Amino acid sequence: MDKDIKFKAYLSISNSRFELNLFDVKNFKNLYQKNLKIINSDDAINFTALSKFLDENIYIIEKLFGKFINNIDLIIKSKKINSFNLSIKKKNYEKDITKKFLQKLLTDTRDLFQENYQNEKILHMIVNRYIIDNVSFETINENLKADHISIEVKFITIPDFITFNIENVLKKYHIQPDDYLDETYIENFFEEENLNFYEKTYKIQHGANLNEIDIIPKNTQKISFFEKFFQFWG
């Protein structure tokens, strides 16, 4: 948990609903929550309505926060969110499976995806399984050796034009997105747990799924590239 962060601002966006939330990360409770239902015949986000919704609520939440909100975490629900599976195989010349080797493998997988899907923004990168010398593992540890290792990774993404339009709306309020998340993924991961939705979101952002890769740290307070993923190595 980030010691210096007391509150987080979340904006949930879908074609039928907007919700603005100020969340107390120390006590896991909502300090302010306002939502607006949208009548919409398709899956497109109404950005004009989003701007009006923020006009009516952003200054209220900033007053409660005690300062201007410069960053916000975005939670999106949309049929345009995509899921891709990608596998990559590497020969391990050192035999031991090291953090350095895995990091390179994960980086290569991410880069390969981005080269082939340049118009998609990655929301979540999740390792489905490892195949080590033809044996399948859901997780991995540093005591294994292998001549070859394969990983199967799921990328949850959203088209760039959607994030571009959202960011264009937020510019009016001098706010930048700090993170993008998929609402459905969050709900499915905690399907059997009775938690506040924003507590679920915060836990996802801070390593609840050990097989999720923290692709881009948003500030120096967040754990470094891939560090979250390797916490279980001890």
Side-chain angles (χ1 to χ4, degrees):
M1 184 177 292
D2 299 335
K3 294 181 180 179
D4 296 332
I5 296 178
K6 296 180 180 179
F7 313 110
K8 284 187 76 69
Y10 290 103
L11 175 61
S12 296
I13 299 173
S14 73
N15 69 314
S16 60
R17 177 175 157 273
F18 304 134
E19 183 167 284
L20 190 60
N21 186 283
L22 184 64
F23 186 66
D24 179 346
V25 303
K26 302 295 184 183
N27 300 301
F28 292 124
K29 65 179 182 180
N30 301 331
L31 299 179
Y32 178 84
Q33 187 169 350
K34 184 71 173 181
N35 62 68
L36 175 68
K37 292 184 177 180
I38 305 294
I39 299 174
N40 203 337
S41 60
D42 57 31
D43 192 51
I45 296 169
N46 187 329
F47 294 104
T48 301
L50 175 61
S51 182
K52 183 178 180 182
F53 173 72
L54 292 173
D55 276 339
E56 295 171 351
N57 291 281
I58 198 68
Y59 301 115
I60 297 174
I61 204 171
E62 285 181 334
K63 186 175 181 180
L64 286 173
F65 193 57
K67 61 181 180 180
F68 293 117
I69 293 175
N70 298 315
N71 301 89
I72 200 165
D73 292 335
L74 297 167
I75 304 160
I76 302 175
K77 185 174 184 178
S78 172
K79 292 180 180 178
K80 292 183 173 63
I81 288 178
N82 300 306
S83 180
F84 301 90
N85 290 307
L86 180 64
S87 298
I88 191 169
K89 183 177 182 179
K90 289 275 187 181
K91 183 172 177 60
N92 183 15
Y93 293 99
E94 296 180 1
K95 305 302 181 183
D96 290 326
I97 299 175
T98 63
K99 292 181 182 181
K100 182 179 178 181
F101 176 80
L102 278 178
Q103 181 169 321
K104 179 65 165 60
L105 183 60
L106 292 163
T107 302
D108 289 347
T109 307
R110 178 206 59 190
D111 292 346
L112 179 62
F113 178 85
Q114 291 182 325
E115 287 173 10
N116 287 277
Y117 297 93
Q118 296 182 12
N119 295 321
E120 293 286 326
K121 179 178 180 61
I122 299 172
L123 305 182
H124 305 278
M125 177 180 173
I126 305 153
V127 178
N128 288 330
R129 65 170 180 159
Y130 307 83
I131 303 173
I132 300 171
D133 289 342
N134 299 317
V135 179
S136 179
F137 296 84
E138 290 186 2
T139 59
I140 195 170
N141 62 61
E142 60 186 331
N143 297 316
L144 294 174
K145 297 179 182 292
D147 293 317
H148 294 89
I149 180 169
S150 302
I151 56 170
E152 296 180 1
V153 178
K154 178 168 72 173
F155 292 91
I156 300 174
T157 70
I158 193 166
D160 279 343
F161 75 87
I162 294 179
T163 60
F164 173 83
N165 286 327
I166 292 172
E167 290 169 15
N168 197 42
V169 171
L170 292 175
K171 283 179 183 178
K172 176 181 176 182
Y173 310 94
H174 306 288
I175 296 173
Q176 292 187 347
D178 201 27
D179 208 354
Y180 279 95
L181 303 112
D182 174 21
E183 180 179 314
T184 301
Y185 162 64
I186 295 168
E187 289 286 22
N188 288 344
F189 186 81
F190 293 101
E191 187 175 10
E192 297 181 1
E193 297 185 43
N194 185 24
L195 300 173
N196 179 312
F197 174 75
Y198 295 97
E199 181 177 352
K200 296 177 184 179
T201 302
Y202 189 79
K203 287 178 180 294
I204 280 289
Q205 290 177 294
H206 290 77
N209 185 353
L210 289 177
N211 274 20
E212 181 174 355
I213 310 304
D214 191 6
I215 300 172
I216 304 173
K218 302 303 187 296
N219 56 59
T220 56
Q221 296 298 320
K222 287 192 70 174
I223 44 188
S224 62
F225 183 49
F226 291 134
E227 184 177 343
K228 176 179 71 176
F229 178 75
F230 292 114
Q231 284 178 343
F232 67 88
W233 287 55

